[in-house]
Structures are given as C-alpha cells and as structure tokens.
Amino acid sequence: MSASDVPVDVVGRAIRLLLLVGEHPHGITLSELARESGVPVSTSHRLVNSLCREGLVEFEPVGKRYKPGLGLFRLGQQAGQAYGFAGAALPVMQRVTRQTEEATLMSVLDGTHHLYVHYVDGPLPVGVRSEPGRHGPLHCTSMGKVLLAFAPAEVRADLLERVELTPYGPRSITDRAVLRAEVERAAERGYATADEEHHAGLRAVAVPVLRPDGSVFAALSTAAPAFRRTLDDLVAMVPVLQAAASELGVRLPTR
C-alpha cells in the first residue's frame, strides 16, 4: 500500500483499521495493523483503542492482539437482516441443502470480488465450508462468473478488463478471452460452473438471484468435493437452485 492510498481523515483511517481487524478473526497485533494499513503506530493505537471502547474491536491481552468485537458482530447481523440474508434466505437455503445434501452458499458482488454473505453446511461428513464476510475471486468461482454474467453491461465489461486472473486452483482461468467466453456461456445457460478452479478437489455450480426487475441481487451456489460429485451431478441440481433463486428474488429486499 502506497502512502497516497492511506486515508488522510481520521474517520477514513479508523474505518481502514476496522476493516483490517475484520479480516483477521484470530487477531492482529498493533504493529501488523500499522504496517498493513499504512497508518502510523501511534495513530493506529489511538484509533483502535477508540474502536475497543465502542465494542467494535476487542483487545486480547494474551498475545496482545486485536480481534473483531461483539459490536461488529451485531452490526453484521443487522446488515444481514436488512438485506434479508438471515430471515428470508436461510430457510430457502436450508431446503436446498436438504435436497442436494451439499453445502449451499450465497454471494453478492463487491468491487472486483464477490462477498460471501450466507452459508448452509451440508449433512455429509466431508463437505465444503465457507466463511460469510470473506471475499472470493470472480474469475474462478461459479458465483463469481454468474455475478459477472448478469451484471449490467458496463459493469461486466469493466470487470472483465480489471479482475486479476490469479491461478488459485489447478484449472483456474488465466486467459481473459477464455473468461469472456465462459461468462457469455453462463449468461446464455443461466448458470455457471467451476471445476477445481478455485481449490483443488472442489466443484460448484451457481445461478443468479434476480430482482423482479431482472437485475442481479446475488448468486446462489451448491458446492461439493470432486470425489463425490461430478460436474454433471452438479448441473443436474441447477433446477433446484433456480427454483430457490426465483423464490429469493421475490422475498429479498428490492434495493
């Protein structure tokens, strides 16, 4: 991070520190906070202690690490309720998991990534796990491809030029022309797949959750270990996901 990227205002610096703490659920030291944020140690210390007083950050004396506080959790829960992720989405996603016996995930577009907002674990011993609040890449995940495919044309064109094509998995797309073709195919089919592209041994399929006006709100996905599900197995689950997405498109807030 260059010096020009560091916010000059107090509020901006405090938000930068809060976001960094949120990215380290197991804690981050003051020196690490200062280094990663670009905010001087003395300023970081003063601001993060203010966040502690508000309950947004918690200081753990053992190890001298700062962790997300209950106040931050409460804000997250309130945001989830506002977007309908808990109240409206959870029962529908649980039903999908009962039908597929695999994990069900939901993400929304957030800049040049997608943000995991909800997750339902599958009932089988070995499965896929996700952490709501974490970001994922757009180019090598089924949800990322769907969010690209159904984004407004100008947003899609911009993202297809800007997303980093990092090779996360053995089959990650690293060619921009290939990604464009994959996104076009997802738009035509109404779903996208990922075959060991983000992680080795993981396959997934995703569909868009569309608002009544046709704009994309989120992506809904089923993910499973490759040893248990072929890509054809997952594609066969698309009708289940589409039925759930149609229901969610009506039930979730329209904003």
Side-chain angles (χ1 to χ4, degrees), residues 5-221:
D5 294 328
V6 181
V8 296
D9 62 300
V10 173
V11 173
R13 291 186 171 196
I15 291 173
R16 172 67 59 81
L17 294 174
L18 183 60
L19 291 173
L20 276 173
V21 171
E23 292 173 2
H24 294 79
H26 301 296
I28 182 171
T29 65
L30 178 63
S31 60
E32 290 170 337
L33 265 179
R35 183 174 64 253
E36 292 189 29
S37 67
V39 177
V41 172
S42 58
T43 304
S44 293
H45 185 259
R46 176 169 54 83
L47 292 176
V48 78
N49 282 337
S50 295
L51 295 171
C52 285
R53 286 194 296 272
E54 297 300 324
L56 297 172
V57 173
E58 177 183 334
F59 179 67
E60 192 176 71
V62 179
K64 297 183 177 180
R65 305 179 76 83
Y66 293 92
K67 300 171 63 176
L70 287 177
L72 191 58
F73 173 77
R74 185 174 60 252
L75 282 176
Q77 292 294 101
Q78 290 169 342
Q81 290 288 347
Y83 280 92
F85 297 140
L90 184 58
V92 177
M93 294 175 66
Q94 288 172 331
R95 188 172 69 245
V96 171
T97 289
R98 285 195 297 271
Q99 293 176 271
T100 64
E101 295 190 318
E102 299 293 353
T104 305
L105 306 89
M106 180 182 284
S107 277
V108 296
L109 186 63
D110 187 18
T112 56
H113 295 80
H114 67 89
L115 177 70
Y116 293 99
V117 295
H118 223 359
Y119 160 76
V120 175
D121 195 10
L124 300 177
V126 178
V128 176
R129 296 195 173 276
S130 173
E131 292 184 43
R134 292 283 185 177
H135 284 101
L138 295 176
H139 70 290
C140 62
T141 60
S142 60
M143 289 194 290
K145 293 177 193 175
V146 155
L147 290 168
L148 281 171
F150 289 87
E154 65 278 8
V155 174
R156 180 172 62 252
D158 176 61
L159 288 173
L160 284 172
E161 289 293 331
R162 292 198 299 127
V163 291
E164 295 183 8
L165 305 184
T166 304
Y168 288 100
R171 297 183 178 177
S172 290
I173 295 174
T174 56
D175 184 293
R176 214 163 285 279
V178 173
L179 177 60
R180 288 194 185 93
E182 183 79 357
V183 168
E184 288 177 8
R185 190 156 48 246
E188 293 170 359
R189 298 185 302 190
Y191 68 88
T193 60
D195 187 4
E196 299 192 85
E197 296 174 40
H198 191 198
H199 295 290
L202 172 64
R203 293 187 174 118
V205 63
V207 303
V209 177
L210 303 176
R211 298 182 179 92
D213 65 3
S215 61
V216 66
F217 178 84
L220 190 66
S221 171

